[in-house]
Amino acid sequence: MIARRQCKPIRVGKVTVGGNAPIVVQSMTKTDTRDVQATVDQINELADCGCEIARVAIPDLEAAQAISTIRKKTSIPIIADVHFDYRLALKSLKAGVDGLRLNPGNISEPEQITEVVKAARQRQVPIRIGVNAGSLPPESKPSISTSERMVNVALEQIKLLESLDFDLIKVSLKAFDVLTTIEAYRAIASKISYPLHLGITEAGLPRAGSVRSAVGIGILLYEGIGDTIRVSLSAHPREEVNTAYEILKTLSLRQHGPTLISCPSCGRAEVDIINLAESVDRSLREIKKPIKVAVMGCVVNGPGEAKEADVGIACGKNKGAIFRKGKVVSTIAEKDFLETIIAEIKAC
Ligand code: SF4
């Protein structure tokens, strides 16, 4: 059981982040926000696969204005991602956005931040101070590490927001380098009591990016650090959401959809277990309930794993034993494996 760091919860629209709330999964759209229909479609697709908050890029005033319609046609809170121009944050707030993400390295004038913070406070809209290692302001002390610089920048920004009587704050300290990211979050975790948004920035294509994210985010979550996560992948954002849930499920922090246990196969396998596992995995994508399914290649570990799952198959030569909740319910021929497992899953 992971003991989570205590922090003050905030609300992003209808979603609570921090406190005792479940760790929230978020993603970011990859559409042009000005293309309202494409953005609405992508947000609705993300919501359908479990995304709880969607962030949209706000490159100009037209994108900020689009938030108004996007919100009416979607069901999850929307966060405006604003860089460089504080007027885009003000316009997004007017359009009804549920949260703002500002990068302290990109809006440096305190007066501009002040204006945004006042408008956010009026509407009770939270702000994420999103520090990125790649866009830190110039540092006068060259000896200081990147993670220390990230923490210092975030602390300065928090101080500024607090001085304006604003505490609806969430913080992220993202770097591509996993160790730098971990060091930064560990350092800030005990210094502030605001929720932390975790991520490894620019993590890459799905294979490497999922591993980097799982290692970086996973280590921090295991230490109780983190209240919301976003996996950043060069892929459709639904992959980000799926990977985020795999990380949370792996640490038993959330239940979400099915979990497939499959053996790697080896010289003892009597059937094409990889092909069977891939076919079962494809079928599971339509299933929402949190069930465990085991696909095992032989009698060595097969019955044990299959027994532990809600539905399992332990394959043998030309036949396989189907398990339901720990009991063998049938023995079937190889040609019926896929169809029978799917029927069992649907009936479960
Ligand atoms: Fe090999 Fe059997 Fe283990 Fe699968 S369950 S990896 S086939 S020994």
Side-chain angles (χ1 to χ4, degrees):
M1 180 84 175
I2 293 172
R4 283 185 50 200
R5 161 185 167 270
Q6 291 303 300
C7 71
K8 173 188 174 309
I10 58 165
R11 296 272 294 179
V12 181
K14 63 182 181 183
V15 174
T16 302
V17 178
N20 294 320
I23 291 165
V24 173
V25 170
Q26 49 180 297
S27 184
M28 186 164 181
T29 53
K30 306 194 180 191
T31 52
D32 182 337
T33 309
R34 293 164 293 198
D35 184 342
V36 171
Q37 194 54 53
T39 305
V40 164
D41 289 347
Q42 193 162 83
I43 292 171
N44 286 336
E45 187 185 351
L46 286 174
D48 193 49
C49 66
C51 180
E52 293 162 313
I53 296 176
R55 183 159 45 113
V56 298
I58 306 297
D60 60 18
L61 288 169
E62 192 185 337
Q65 184 56 46
I67 287 173
S68 169
T69 316
I70 291 169
R71 271 192 92 242
K72 287 185 193 124
K73 296 183 169 187
T74 52
S75 60
I76 56 176
I78 308 290
I79 292 183
D81 190 80
V82 175
H83 293 266
F84 304 116
D85 188 346
Y86 76 108
R87 290 169 301 179
L88 302 179
L90 295 175
K91 185 82 173 172
S92 301
L93 287 165
K94 274 195 191 142
V97 83
D98 300 288
L100 285 177
R101 182 272 169 126
L102 303 179
N103 181 329
N106 289 340
I107 302 179
S108 51
E109 293 301 320
E111 307 77 48
Q112 297 178 353
I113 299 271
T114 302
E115 210 176 318
V116 173
V117 170
K118 280 185 181 164
R121 194 181 55 214
Q122 266 173 10
R123 294 170 172 82
Q124 291 293 289
V125 168
I127 295 176
R128 167 156 69 97
I129 298 171
V131 178
N132 261 34
S135 54
L136 290 170
E139 169 60 49
S140 51
K141 292 185 219 152
S143 57
I144 190 168
S145 71
T146 303
S147 61
E148 285 173 292
R149 285 176 66 196
M150 291 164 74
V151 171
N152 289 349
V153 167
L155 292 175
E156 269 170 35
Q157 203 72 16
I158 290 168
K159 216 162 125 192
L160 174 60
L161 266 57
E162 287 175 340
S163 73
L164 298 166
D165 198 22
F166 188 85
D167 64 356
L168 303 174
I169 299 171
K170 185 157 56 102
V171 178
S172 66
L173 305 168
K174 298 187 187 179
F176 167 77
D177 183 71
V178 169
L179 298 181
T180 301
T181 306
I182 292 170
E183 276 168 24
Y185 277 106
R186 276 180 181 158
I188 207 162
S190 57
K191 291 185 168 67
I192 60 170
S193 59
Y194 297 114
L196 292 173
H197 163 125
L198 302 187
I200 302 297
T201 197
E202 292 113 27
L205 289 163
R207 185 168 59 177
S210 299
V211 173
R212 285 186 194 114
S213 300
V215 171
I217 294 173
I219 286 173
L220 289 163
L221 289 174
Y222 182 72
E223 294 176 5
I225 296 169
D227 304 286
T228 176
I229 66 173
R230 188 249 170 144
V231 172
S232 302
L233 297 176
S234 307
H236 191 284
R238 96 170 75 76
E239 297 304 321
E240 301 185 352
V241 174
N242 292 339
T243 305
Y245 275 112
E246 287 302 327
I247 295 170
L248 294 172
K249 285 190 321 188
T250 302
L251 291 167
S252 300
L253 285 164
R254 293 285 300 264
Q255 283 203 332
H256 181 82
T259 299
L260 177 64
I261 300 149
S262 63
C263 84
S265 190
C266 72
R268 286 190 198 88
E270 307 270 14
V271 299
D272 182 351
I273 203 73
I274 296 171
N275 191 30
L276 179 62
E278 282 175 349
S279 300
V280 172
D281 187 50
R282 274 193 295 277
S283 306
L284 286 175
R285 284 175 206 163
E286 294 162 18
I287 309 280
K288 304 263 184 209
K289 54 194 168 189
I291 56 167
K292 264 191 195 172
V293 178
V295 176
M296 303 296 293
C298 79
V299 293
V300 174
N301 296 318
E305 289 290 357
K307 251 187 217 166
E308 293 300 315
D310 296 301
V311 173
I313 182 166
C315 301
K317 193 171 175 57
N318 303 325
K319 60 183 184 181
I322 294 283
F323 290 74
R324 193 191 307 149
K325 307 263 185 214
K327 292 203 168 73
V328 178
V329 290
S330 58
T331 301
I332 54 170
E334 186 173 345
K335 67 175 176 50
D336 299 325
F337 281 178
L338 186 59
E339 201 181 311
T340 310
I341 297 167
I342 293 166
E344 285 292 337
I345 290 166
K346 286 189 175 158
C348 194

